[in-house]
Structures are given as C-alpha cells and as structure tokens.
Amino acid sequence: MKFVCVDGVPRYRDLAATFAATMLQPHGHDLDWYEEAAPDADRFAELAAGADGLLLYGLRGRFPAEVLDRCPTIKIVGYLGTGVARAVDVPAVRSRGVAVCNVPDYASDSVAELTIALLLAVARRLTEGDRTVRAGEWARRPGRQLIGKQLGVVGAGPIAAKVISRARGLGMRPVCWTRRPTPERAAALGVEFVELPALFAESDVVSLHLSHTPATDGLISAQLLGMLKPDAIFVNTARAELVDTAALYDLLRREAIFGAGLDVFDPEPPDLSALPLDANLVLAPHAASVTAETFGVALRIGIENLRAFAAGELVNEVTE
C-alpha cells in the first residue's frame, strides 16, 4: 500500500524515513513524505493521488475532507495526535467509508509535566516575577503554597493519572470527576470520585484532562466556573472548547479567582485582545505534548497504525 504525509515537518523527515524503512517497506508498503504547511484541497489531492491512506501531522491546518472525493483510493486517515477532531471532521470522513485513527496516550508524561509547571507558575506568580525583575523592579506579591491543598482533576485517563501522581508528590489532596466512575477506577487512581459542582466548589486547584467531543463541548460552564473559590487556580492543558472561556476571562479580570494557566485556546493562536493579560495568567502555545521525546513516539505509533491497517487490522480507531 501507498501512504502519504502531505503536511510533514522537516525535522522529522529522517525519522519518518527510518520508521517507514523498518515498519512498512519490509511488508511491501511505503510512505511518501511532503512538507507543505497548509495546502488547499486541490494541492492536497494532487499530492495524495493514488494513495491508500494518509498520515496527518495535523497541527497546521484542518484536513479538507473533500480530498477524499477526489482520491477514492484512500481508505484510512491517520492522525499524529490524540485530539483528532481538532484537525479532522471525523463524521465527514467516516461517511465516505474511510477509517480514522489517532495516537492515544503518547505524551501523557509531557502533558502532566507542563500541567504541574503551569500550576506552580500561577501559584508562585513566576512569570509576573520574571517581568518585574527584568524591568529593574523589586515588587513581590504573595503566592500560594500547594501542600495540603485539594486538586480537582476533571477526567480520569492516562494524563489525569500522571497529574494525580505528581500532585501527591507536592503534598496535594486529589479528587476526581469522570463520566464513567467505577469503584475499580477510583481504586486504581487512589482518589475519590465526586460530582462536578462539588469538585469546582471545594477544590483549591482545578485541572482539565478530557478529550473534546460533542459530549464534552462546553462542559465547563459559566455556572461551574462561578463556583470556584476566590483563591482558586484553574489549569487547562486539554482543549479550550471544553470551557466557557468568556466566563473564565471575566473571573480573571475581576480577580474573582487567584489565577489560571492555559496551554490551549480557541482559536489558536489566540486573539490577544480577548485575553485578560493583566491578570495572574500564565500562557503556553499549546506545547504540553511538544518535547523532543514525544513526537518520535507519536510518529512510530502513527506509522504502526498504517501498517496494521495494511495487514487487515484497524487499531486506535476514532468514531466521533
């Protein structure tokens, strides 16, 4: 089979070639690698002509599903990441009889580390202090200790589990909410499952670790955000679409919560005029999964997904 990556990244070209040589070519398959940042549908179809499947880097534009109408040989779209819906209209692709797969749990450690980094930066006002010292000033505003504080984790997947583990190392007390609570999951995480209103009202820190789906879109409503304590910290390294961001920004502008750490926005890059930049707000450029280690893992699993498909097995399928 012939697989094509249209929106490849130059620094991963050699690694992709190595994986293709060891994982695809011995089985009679190959990967064509192109490096076009955000091709339109015409150009995408031109490069993908004759392909049996696509490998999408997916961070520099949305996949034009109409490409599949022009390239009827394509039977699988593989996404190099977890939140495939951000780059691919999954229902539109599946309606054409094309499978969609992603790379789950390839960056749990990296995302958990940045979550804790954002939490610490907000709690101790690190970016504010950095700006103050660079400006030749010596103004110190009180931060917050985390030891003994309650961490409310929204979600109970692999990233949430690693955040919970690291938070315990800081002396925090984690609780958790999930759409699928069971005694077995609670025991595995070592946490109590609570309802969302209680989690928001009682936690000193709330951190989001959910995928964005139609069921979770806007889940973190203005009502829930309004339950946060005046000295609470809010962290989001999941997806901005989970949250009523206007309500969150309003809380920050009014200093109705202590602060927030955000790695995700809608749109991306964000509209700076909409952000409460004078608040205790620490920002990152959707970088939680971006480390030297993680993309190699994602690329290997993504190519393995294609190899499995060529062998008649569909793994890591996404259906919504």
Side-chain angles (χ1 to χ4, degrees):
M1 285 188 171
K2 173 185 174 182
F3 301 108
V4 174
C5 180
V6 170
D7 57 346
V9 178
R11 66 178 176 272
Y12 297 118
R13 181 190 308 126
D14 292 343
L15 185 59
T18 297
F19 285 147
T22 57
M23 299 166 66
L24 294 177
Q25 291 170 7
H27 302 282
H29 315 303
D30 211 344
L31 174 67
D32 291 347
W33 182 268
Y34 302 100
E35 295 165 1
E36 303 213 3
D40 59 23
D42 290 338
R43 180 58 175 161
F44 212 117
E46 178 184 350
L47 295 175
D52 298 287
L54 298 176
L55 186 67
L56 302 180
Y57 184 75
L59 296 182
R60 298 175 296 165
R62 192 161 176 82
F63 171 63
E66 59 267 32
V67 166
L68 301 175
D69 299 325
R70 307 182 198 183
C71 301
T73 58
I74 293 173
K75 295 303 177 187
I76 186 170
V77 171
Y79 176 72
L80 289 178
T82 302
V84 62
R86 194 175 192 88
V88 178
D89 184 338
V90 175
V93 172
R94 286 173 54 83
S95 71
R96 292 166 166 84
V98 177
V100 180
C101 61
N102 71 347
V103 179
D105 193 23
Y106 73 99
S108 297
D109 285 306
S110 293
V111 177
E113 287 175 4
L114 188 70
T115 299
I116 298 299
L118 286 173
L119 170 54
L120 288 167
V122 174
R124 300 309 301 269
R125 299 184 182 273
L126 287 183
T127 55
E128 179 183 305
D130 177 82
R131 291 192 300 269
T132 298
V133 175
R134 289 174 187 271
E137 302 171 5
W138 200 254
R140 295 180 292 180
R141 298 177 66 192
R144 296 205 68 204
Q145 282 191 168
L146 298 177
I147 188 168
K149 301 297 193 298
Q150 179 169 300
L151 170 67
V153 177
V154 181
I159 296 171
K162 293 179 184 295
V163 169
I164 287 168
S165 174
R166 286 160 173 77
R168 283 203 182 94
L170 296 172
M172 301 188 76
R173 298 180 288 105
V175 297
C176 188
W177 174 88
T178 176
R179 290 172 292 166
R180 295 179 293 276
T182 65
E184 292 76 17
R185 296 187 81 191
L189 291 169
V191 297
E192 176 189 2
F193 284 143
V194 299
E195 296 299 324
L196 270 181
L199 184 147
F200 272 77
E202 298 169 9
S203 296
D204 302 288
V205 178
V206 172
S207 188
L208 303 190
H209 302 288
L210 287 175
S211 58
H212 176 230
T213 68
T216 61
D217 188 82
L219 177 70
I220 310 307
S221 64
Q223 181 179 8
L224 282 175
L225 292 167
M227 295 177 182
L228 289 169
K229 298 178 179 181
D231 56 359
I233 295 171
F234 182 84
V235 179
N236 188 3
T237 55
R239 288 290 184 267
E241 293 87 347
L242 301 172
V243 182
D244 184 332
T245 53
L248 174 63
Y249 295 165
D250 180 63
L251 291 177
L252 290 164
R253 287 191 185 92
R254 294 189 288 107
E255 297 186 349
I257 60 173
F258 184 81
L262 304 178
D263 183 49
V264 288
F265 309 89
D266 184 23
E268 292 185 346
D271 176 4
L272 293 182
S273 67
L275 293 172
L277 296 176
D278 292 333
N280 182 16
L281 175 62
V282 180
L283 308 174
H286 202 148
S289 64
V290 183
T291 64
E293 295 81 5
T294 54
F295 193 77
V297 175
L299 187 57
R300 177 182 56 77
I301 297 173
I303 291 177
E304 174 58 25
N305 287 344
L306 300 181
R307 187 211 62 77
F309 179 80
E313 181 183 3
L314 183 56
V315 297
N316 296 323
E317 183 182 14
V318 177
T319 59
E320 62 177 6

